[in-house]
Amino acid sequence: MKLVLDNTPVETYSVGGRIVHVKREDLCCPYPGPGFSKIRGLQAHLQDSLVKGIREFAVLDTSTSKAGWGTAYLGAATCVGVTVYYPAKQGASSLPLNQRMAEGLGARVIRLDPVARAKILWHRVAQEWKDKAHAELLPLGLRLNEAVAETAAEVRKTSDVMKSGTIVVNVSSGTICAGLLSSLIEQGLTPRALVGVTSHRLNVEAKRRSIWNKALDYLGFGSSVPPSWFRLEVSDCEYSDACEEPSPFPCNPWYDRKAWQWLVYNVGNLAEPILFWNIGS
């Protein structure tokens, strides 16, 4: 069985009397792996690290991420050690589902006191791992160049017609959005709009430029100014809250469903064809 699947399906749904096409990237990773497409880039990165002699990986989960689960899934298949750190909620006596799945796949799971932001916790873990031989601490949020490249490759497999209207995708780290943006530029395609929906309310324009810079790193060329058809919109949901908007397909309530909610609320104003890029479930 392949660990990660290419050419995931595009399904069609009716939303507010409009046709919406949904790219089911949540199907790229078969169970017992997690349903999220960052695993494409993670697999490519781990393969490259193994060639360089890395035999042990560490990753810091946030309270809602599946980074540890994904790393444990690939680590079990390649016989390397995986350690997952996660911020435990005060008073919690059992592991959350994502970390429980990682442990079930052979990872060592370590609870951290959530007294600081994720970036600070990551740097503390980095101090523990900096002198370990043949070991690597993965970047927070799996912000991997390989994830941009592997997403761009999957975008190329999707019909150009589907990419001519409005494309909507959730933005957290912005890595998957950068892959979409890179591939559109690389193919010479100009959609009516690429809309990234983010729960981060501060410095939205800075986030847009950060995503564009990731795309430039992949492309190796381009203007310093992002294209006018690429924009970010702010979700009605806070980052720390799950979204309760119903979806007719598996859609992560902490991430993608917030972008789906934005699409549902604004579908009447979007140029067709409308494509929703579902990163994970």
Side-chain angles (χ1 to χ4, degrees):
M1 182 184 73
K2 289 189 66 174
L3 297 176
V4 181
L5 306 179
D6 296 329
N7 204 17
T8 50
V10 175
E11 298 175 347
T12 302
Y13 299 92
S14 177
V15 180
R18 309 289 299 281
I19 296 299
V20 175
H21 307 282
V22 177
K23 176 67 170 174
R24 293 290 307 278
E25 278 287 83
D26 57 292
L27 296 175
C28 76
C29 183
Y31 189 84
F36 83 136
S37 70
K38 273 190 179 179
I39 202 160
R40 295 188 185 284
L42 179 60
Q43 182 183 45
H45 182 82
L46 263 58
Q47 288 172 341
D48 185 58
S49 293
L50 287 170
V51 171
K52 296 175 181 177
I54 302 298
R55 292 296 178 267
E56 187 175 5
F57 295 90
V59 60
L60 173 66
D61 266 339
T62 64
S63 59
T64 57
S65 81
K66 296 183 179 180
W69 182 356
T71 307
Y73 170 70
L74 295 174
T78 51
C79 300
V80 297
V82 173
T83 300
V84 177
Y85 295 86
Y86 82 102
K89 291 184 178 180
Q90 295 290 346
S93 58
S94 60
L95 290 177
L97 173 63
N98 293 346
Q99 288 73 41
R100 195 162 65 246
M101 291 299 298
E103 187 177 61
L105 288 164
R108 182 171 61 126
V109 177
I110 298 177
R111 298 162 59 105
L112 298 176
D113 189 356
V115 293
R117 295 173 58 192
K119 286 184 180 179
I120 296 174
L121 291 176
W122 186 90
H123 283 290
R124 290 178 181 175
V125 174
Q127 288 300 308
E128 292 182 29
W129 281 73
K130 66 178 182 178
D131 296 324
K132 286 182 178 284
H134 309 294
E136 177 184 352
L137 172 62
L138 295 167
L140 182 64
L142 299 181
R143 294 172 170 86
L144 298 166
N145 292 334
E146 293 92 340
V148 177
E150 294 298 319
T151 299
E154 185 65 22
V155 174
R156 290 194 292 272
K157 299 181 177 76
T158 307
S159 164
D160 287 355
V161 174
M162 296 279 187
K163 297 175 286 194
S164 62
T166 305
I167 306 168
V168 179
V169 65
N170 179 71
V171 165
S172 181
S173 70
T175 306
I176 302 301
C177 187
L180 273 160
L181 182 56
S182 299
S183 194
L184 294 168
I185 298 288
E186 191 175 40
Q187 295 174 82
L189 301 175
T190 306
R192 294 287 296 277
L194 170 61
V195 182
V197 180
T198 179
S199 297
H200 297 282
R201 285 160 165 71
L202 300 177
N203 301 319
V204 174
E205 180 57 26
K207 187 68 173 180
R208 177 172 173 262
R209 289 183 173 274
S210 171
I211 294 169
W212 177 235
N213 287 336
K214 290 179 185 178
L216 290 179
D217 287 343
Y218 167 79
L219 293 167
F221 66 87
S223 166
S224 60
V225 180
S228 59
W229 45 263
F230 166 50
R231 72 179 195 268
L232 296 187
E233 297 284 352
V234 177
S235 166
D236 287 344
C237 296
E238 296 287 344
Y239 178 77
S240 58
D241 295 334
C243 178
E244 297 181 359
E245 181 71 29
S247 61
F249 52 89
C251 190
N252 193 312
W254 300 100
Y255 300 103
D256 300 80
R257 201 177 298 179
K258 296 173 183 179
W260 177 254
Q261 181 187 65
W262 182 91
L263 184 153
V264 170
Y265 289 178
N266 294 277
V267 69
N269 301 318
L270 304 181
E272 294 181 322
I274 302 167
L275 177 63
F276 181 75
W277 198 271
N278 191 49
I279 300 169
S281 60

